[in-house]
Each structure stands twice: as structure tokens, then as C-alpha cells.
Amino acid sequence: MQHTRGFRVGEYQSDGTELGRGATAIVYRGAHVSSREPVAIKVISLDIMHRQPKVFESLRKEISILSRANHPNIVRLYHYVRRWRERETAGESGR
């Protein structure tokens, strides 16, 4: 696992521990600030979205599907935040 400086996204705090990395995103370990419920925070660079427009459409579909999904084997999407430099999502952590 790689570590970076911790960061906060809305009501979620990451300690900077990288859980996974793909072609378009990095997923970090995090927790809800008040409940301490573990979550995964997915960070996607806007630079990638500008260079690869299909990534934005893919992300929109992923958010739409995950926001409706309710199954024990599918990560639940709790929150979606759009920021100036990146997009992040917070979902269940793979404990």
C-alpha cells in the first residue's frame, strides 16, 4: 500500500492510504468524520477527463448505477462531490 498526505472530502477524511489504482482513478482508505464508518474514497483527475471524454461518461454511468444498487456484494455509494481540481466519491470500504 502506498501512502500520501491525508485529505478531507466533505464529511469524509482519508489518512492517505492508497487502496487501489486504475487507469483513471486512485482509491484511498477513509472514514466518515463523525461516525468513523470506514469508506473508500475514489479520486479522479479532471485532466484525465478532459483528455479522455469517454471517462466522464463512464463515471456518470458508474455513479448512476451505484447510487441505485443495494446488494451486499456491491459497494454502496454514499456521497458524490465535484471539486474544481478533482472528482471524488465515497463508498463502503472493503473491510
Side-chain angles (χ1 to χ4, degrees):
M1 271 188 236
Q2 292 185 350
H3 294 272
T4 187
R5 200 173 75 211
F7 59 93
R8 185 169 174 161
V9 179
E11 297 179 21
Y12 302 92
Q13 178 70 41
S14 173
D15 64 2
T17 301
E18 186 178 312
L19 299 176
R21 179 182 290 257
T24 60
I26 302 172
V27 179
Y28 296 95
R29 179 171 61 192
H32 187 272
V33 173
S34 60
S35 74
R36 302 309 303 159
E37 180 72 24
V39 299
I41 301 172
K42 184 175 186 176
V43 179
I44 301 171
S45 168
L46 280 178
D47 293 336
I48 292 172
M49 288 216 224
H50 288 299
R51 289 191 315 256
Q52 301 174 20
K54 290 183 180 182
V55 171
F56 179 72
E57 186 56 36
S58 176
L59 178 63
R60 286 179 42 154
K61 288 178 184 176
E62 179 180 351
I63 291 169
S64 175
I65 291 167
L66 289 177
S67 66
R68 294 176 301 192
N70 185 11
H71 189 278
N73 294 332
I74 299 176
V75 172
R76 183 174 304 202
L77 177 66
Y78 291 127
H79 193 79
Y80 165 74
V81 177
R82 178 179 176 171
R83 292 177 42 184
W84 179 70
R85 297 280 299 158
E86 63 260 354
R87 295 178 183 268
E88 301 101 353
T89 60
E92 289 177 314
S93 175
R95 300 176 216 197

